[in-house]
Amino acid sequence: MNYLKYIIKYLISVLTIHILTLFYTNVIVYAISFEEALPCENLQLGQYICKEPIVDIETQSEENCDKLTKSVPVECMPAANVTCKSSKYGGAEVTFNGTTPGFYKNVSCRWTNGHSFETALLLSVFLGMFGIDRFYLGYPAIGLLKFSTLGFFFLGQLVDILLIAAQVVMPSDGSDYIIDYYGARVTRICMNEETYIQPSDS
């Protein structure tokens, strides 16, 4: 008789565990199925791909580059079978196929304002003693000083040739030089929040 009680208690406890397991499983599945999709702008790297910006033939810089932020919006396509809230579709949840644009992302660009790198360098080499290179780049005070002293007795001319060639001295309005898009541009490399440091083997 005692054995029968133990068997009944055991069966009741096993049945209770199964019922509770089924209940919590259904609750979790239900919650996941109704989980809100993220905005497409919050997708992680690898979940989308962006188009390259359009390059202006005359300025050799990206079209519609903003002067203040030095960035330009480009279309980005979420990967296939990714569901997110797209601002292009009024914030609606959309499942993408990998080729449909879903949002815009700002990428850095070069804003140019008519100052050619080759022109500045040639002026510095041939007319730098008269300060013409500094006048061209928008530094009239230094240009006048170079003109009055023959380029600081040619020493200042040599320094400016090196500074312009290394793209340290840029136009005074904050713009970039007009250089071929895949030309001899200097890119300064620096660390930021997205920099990955490879751990050492030791």
Side-chain angles (χ1 to χ4, degrees):
M1 199 66 165
N2 287 336
Y3 291 115
L4 189 59
K5 279 185 183 180
Y6 288 125
I7 292 172
I8 292 171
K9 283 183 181 179
Y10 174 75
L11 290 174
I12 290 172
S13 62
V14 168
L15 188 61
T16 305
I17 290 171
H18 279 295
I19 290 171
L20 289 173
T21 304
L22 286 172
F23 174 75
Y24 284 115
T25 304
N26 287 333
V27 167
I28 291 169
V29 169
Y30 183 79
I32 291 173
S33 64
F34 281 91
E35 184 181 353
E36 281 195 24
L38 289 172
C40 294
E41 290 81 1
N42 294 349
L43 292 175
Q44 301 294 318
L45 289 174
Q47 292 183 310
Y48 64 90
I49 188 168
C50 296
K51 294 181 179 178
E52 290 289 324
I54 300 169
V55 178
D56 190 323
I57 295 174
E58 290 183 11
T59 64
Q60 286 296 304
S61 64
E62 298 83 351
E63 288 185 2
N64 303 319
C65 183
D66 187 81
K67 174 182 177 180
L68 298 176
T69 62
K70 290 195 175 180
S71 63
V72 61
V74 293
E75 280 188 333
C76 296
M77 290 81 65
N81 301 320
V82 168
T83 302
C84 58
K85 291 181 179 177
S86 173
S87 56
K88 287 194 72 172
Y89 299 98
E93 288 186 17
V94 181
T95 301
F96 292 90
N97 59 9
T99 59
T100 307
F103 64 100
Y104 288 95
K105 182 179 178 66
N106 283 333
V107 297
S108 60
C109 62
R110 295 184 310 117
W111 174 71
T112 58
N113 197 23
H115 297 94
S116 169
F117 175 67
E118 286 123 1
T119 303
L121 191 56
L122 289 173
L123 287 174
S124 186
V125 170
F126 294 107
L127 298 171
M129 73 283 289
F130 303 118
I132 304 301
D133 53 348
R134 288 290 185 160
F135 282 114
Y136 175 72
L137 293 175
Y139 302 99
I142 299 175
L144 189 60
L145 197 58
K146 283 179 71 176
F147 178 78
S148 304
T149 59
L150 277 180
F152 300 109
F153 306 105
F154 300 102
L155 183 61
Q157 178 188 7
L158 177 62
V159 170
D160 269 355
I161 290 171
L162 295 174
L163 291 177
I164 291 172
Q167 297 171 33
V168 174
V169 172
M170 303 292 283
S172 63
D173 58 3
S175 63
D176 285 292
Y177 287 118
I178 296 177
I179 307 176
D180 289 341
Y181 188 73
Y182 295 105
R185 285 192 293 143
V186 172
T187 304
R188 291 171 179 81
I189 300 175
C190 59
M191 293 178 63
N192 57 23
E193 292 83 5
E194 297 179 359
T195 304
Y196 175 76
I197 300 175
Q198 185 174 358
S200 60
D201 295 333
S202 59

